[in-house]
Every structure is written in C-alpha cells, then in structure tokens.
Amino acid sequence: MMNEPEVTNEHEKRERRMVQWVVALVLFVAVIYAVTFIKLPVWLPALK
Amino acid sequence: MTEAITTHDHPPAGIMRWLTATNHKDLGILYMSFGGLMFFIGGAFIMAVRAELLLPGLQLLSPGMYNQLFTLHALIMVFGAIMPFATGLNNYLIPLMIGAPDMALPRVNNWGFWILPFAAVLLLIPFFLQFFGIGSGASAAGWVMHNTSLDLQSGIGMDFAIFTIHLLGLSSLTGAINVVVTVLNMRAPGMTLMKMPLFVWAWLITAFMLILVIPVFSAAATMLLTDRHFGTHFFDAANGGDPILLQHLIWFFGHPEVYIVLLPAWGLIPHILATFSRKPVYGYRAQVYALWAICFLSFLVWSHHMLTSGLPLAAEVYFMYATMAISIPTSVLVFCWLGAIWRGAMTFETPMLFALGFVAHFGMGALTGMILPDVAVNAQYHNSYVIVSHFHYTFFGGGIFGMMAALYYWLPKFTGRMFDEKLGRLHFWLTVIFFNMTFIPQWFAGLDGMPRHIADYALRFSAMNFISSLGAFLLGLSQLLLVYIVVKCVRNGPKATGQVWEGAQGLEFTLPSPPPYHTFETPPLVK
C-alpha cells in the first residue's frame, strides 16, 4: 500500500508520461505529413 | 482473478449529457450510434446502385449519379460506419478492460466524436445541392480517389470530399493518440502488457497504424487540393507531375486501412470464441505477435493495388511475394481461432454465430486475397467484379460480421438487458444467406469479365446481376431487424447479470450490467 506522497508522486509521473507521449505522437504525425509533401514526390516515382 | 471496485452513478441529464460528454461510456454509445446510423445511410445509397444494376441498360440513374452513389456508399461505410463503430467499442471497452477510470484525454475524445457529424454533412451536402442546381454533385472518384484525372477535373464535390478527409483524419488521429496514451499509461496495477485482452492489443496496434498512415492520406488530399486550386503540379502529368504518385500515396494509406478496419474485429473475435467454447483464449502470445507482424507487413505491400499501373517487373514480383507473406501471420490468427473452439463445450448464441460467420466469410476474403496479388492473375481480374466481391468478403464478412458479433456480445453489458435470442439468430441466418446471395454472383460476373464502376453492362452478365441485386435488397431489409432487436432489448429486454455469458472472462464482466457511470475510480487489483 502506497502512502499519500507516493500516490501523488505516482500520479504526477503518470501525467508527465502522458504529456510526453502526446507531444511525441503529435510531432510524429507532423513529420510524416511534412515528409509526404517534401520527399515522397521524389522517392515514389523512382519506383518506376 | 480480480476485485472490481465501483462507485456512484450520476450521469448529467438532458441533451447536454451528450453534447458535452467526456465519459468514455457516453462517447462509446455516441460513436456506435453514429456508426449504426451511417451504416443505414451508406446502405441506402448502395440500394439505389443495385437497383440500377438489377437489369441491363440505364433505368434509374445517369452514369454520373451512379458514380457518386457508389463513392458515397464506400466513403460512408468505411469512414462513417465501420471505423466509428469500432472506435465506439474501444471507447466503451478499453477503460473497462484495463481497469482505468476513463480514456486518458476525455475532452479530446469529445472533440474527436463531434467532428464526425460535421464531416458527414460536408460529405453529403454537394450530393443534395445538385438537386437544387448548385454544383455538379458529390465526389465520384471512388473511396480512395484513385482516378487522378477525375480528381483534378471534377467539381466542388471533390473539394468537399478533400475537406471531409481532413476532418475525418483529425478525428481518427485524436482517437488513436488517446488509445495509445490510455493503454500505455492507465492500466490497473498488475495489468501488464501481456495480460491485456487481445481486443486492447488489437486497438493499440490499430492506433499506431492510424498515426502512421492518416498523415500520408491527409497530405495526399492537401496536395490534391493545391493541385486543383493553388497552381501546384504534384499529380498533373500535363505540367510535369506524376498521376501515379497519387495512387502510391493513396494506397500507402489504403492498404493499411484495410487492417485498420479488420484489426479491432480480429481482437474481439478470440474473446467471443473463447466464451462460447468455455475455454481460455487460445494462443494468446502467438496472436499478439501475429497482429504486430500483420501491422508491419501492411506497410510494405501497397502497390499490389497498382500491379497494372506499369511498375517495373522487380517491383511487381516484390509486391506479389510481400503480399502473400501476410498470409502467414493471418493463418496464425485463423488457426488460433480454430484452436479456441477445438473440443470446446460450444453453444451457439447469436454472438458466437456471428463470430463463426466472421471466421468463415473472412476466410473466403483472405483466401481470395492470396490469389489476387499474383501478377499474372491480377492482370486478368484488376478492376473487375472479382475485386468488388473479394473486398466485400473482407470488409463485410470480416469487418461487419465482427462488429455484429461484438454488438450482440456486449449489448447486454451496455444496456443491462438481454436481447431476443431467437430474433438474433434469425438476423444472423438472414444476413448469411443474403450476404452470399449478393456477393457470390459477383465472383462469377467478375470471372466472366464484368468490369466494376460501370452503370450498365453486357447482356451476358444479366443473370448474375439480377440475383446479386435481389440479394442486396434482402440483405438491406434484413438489417432493419437489427434495429428492432436493439430497440426491443433497450426497452423491455429481461435484465442481464453482470457476468452476462456463462464463460465470459475479463474485467468488464466483473461489473454490473450496465456498468455504473463511473467505474474503476480506485483501480482494481489484477493478479
């Protein structure tokens, strides 16, 4: 059984991890969107 | 296995409960209701298409109107019906299955849902405006907009479709990020990744797939928009662009999208088979690894949709073998499903019937999917009705049968009431008979050379189209029975127990039916 400061600490750690995941995933989406615009028009026609 | 701890039950009253919903169960119900509504709207559109195809010659629709209708049918069914319904299931069930009080981002969850009705209206507006002399109708380029010249030259319907795709993409991305963050951060103590129900695994993998492919689809739609209105030439061959590039981008999204639709069903089927076979889930680890393998391979096979577009031979051979390789992890799943029922004490309640129907029909879709990427075979069947039939055995036989199985399995949990088992079984058998009556003739028409996406056809295809249209009308009508079953269940079905089904396992079945408005505020202990 965790005491109160430990529970708060665990809660804060979880919140921090959540924000980190959201930021990382949103950045990932932005990178894929940008790469599709900038690089795929060059890479994919090369399949010919 | 667990100790479930529940608390008070006080949902807000009135319409504001739904408009401002942040509770995962409310949003789950909203998503599923929206998916159900769109299922019938998309179905109505295809009834008009099948009515036109009932007899050779043009009776009801112009070719342009026909193209709009099948395009809207496809867009609505994939993005408006199956995906939102599966998202509703994840919203309702994932927190219950992992012992979390809610999804990690409840307000984002609300936003993700309420984008959908606006996106649907945007998609449909140009279709109805044409009857008042405004614009030239809805998009008519098919669900993946693979006809580049049509995409570049058609009217405002395409602009509306492009805007809709961006909105739907935003909704899917918010939902996917929410799933990843919830599953990775909010599991109850003791609920390790390898103890998670397969449905949660399937949705975690689906969410990662969405996060990877939706930006590509959205970027392709943006490029199309800039080509149409802002002077770029990504896809415009007359100005040095590459029309095939659009096909690459679209199918890089479009093929994983097939698995995005199917994975949630693959995740829930093992639970249902195990419950009604009175056995534990068979081959849990093998199924988890197989789902990951399918996810990985699905990004490497997109050009099997483009084998007739003039790819070099080496690329064609690669895409053929890579596609066939997907059959290995898929077979692992199918054998695990069969292993689950092998020597089980099976009973055949409605969810089990739909789950077995799923295995049989999806199996037919998957087996034909093994044949079609063969380069030589594909040259024969590309753009024929063989593709239409294969696609529907996969999406309807897999996706819709899976969603129906899930609906019947968890409906007593959602509503606290049992549905009419006799009517459920009747609904199953009508669906099986009329589904096959619709799509088996399309195999033969396709094998005989009937091309898809045409409003009229040669006389020799008449018999098959007549049977197929008749089957489609009856299939559509028989789905109204589902509405009656659900309404009857909600209104005056007998009370369901918390356990609901004798062999059911999982945290959600440790709660009463329906679960209280707030659940697992104190996490359960998972041993």
Side-chain angles (χ1 to χ4, degrees), chain B residues 3 15 23 65 69 71 73-74 77 116 155 173 197 259 298 323 328-329 337 340 368 393 416-417 439 492 524:
Chain B
E3 297 166 28
I15 186 77
N23 182 291
M65 178 64 76
L69 285 168
T71 298
H73 161 74
M77 286 303 198
L116 286 179
L173 280 173
Y259 296 100
S298 73
T323 305
I328 298 167
W337 300 335
T368 48
Y393 269 92
R417 293 177 181 278
F439 293 106
N492 50 18

Side-chain angles (χ1 to χ4, degrees), chain A residues 1-2 10 13-48, chain B residues 101 104-105 166 173 176-177 180-181 184-187 208 211-213 215-216 218-220 222-223 226 234 242-245 248-249 302-303 310-312 315 319:
Chain A
M1 199 69 169
M2 286 188 284
E10 185 58 35
K13 262 173 36 187
R14 179 180 283 192
E15 292 265 296
R16 204 162 46 237
R17 264 203 320 264
M18 250 185 232
V19 173
Q20 286 166 348
W21 265 107
V22 172
V23 171
L25 292 172
V26 170
L27 282 177
F28 182 73
V29 167
V31 168
I32 299 284
Y33 189 84
V35 167
T36 305
F37 254 108
I38 298 161
K39 280 295 177 192
L40 292 193
V42 182
W43 291 339
L44 287 177
L47 268 180
K48 285 178 184 172
Chain B
L105 311 166
H166 284 93
L173 280 173
I177 290 173
V180 172
V181 177
L184 295 184
N185 285 299
M186 296 188 64
R187 298 189 311 279
F208 277 119
I211 289 166
L212 189 58
V213 297
V216 176
S218 299
T222 312
M223 290 153 94
T226 58
F234 288 108
D242 187 353
I244 300 297
L245 171 65
H248 277 301
L249 295 177
W302 74 92
S303 280
L311 295 173
F319 282 111

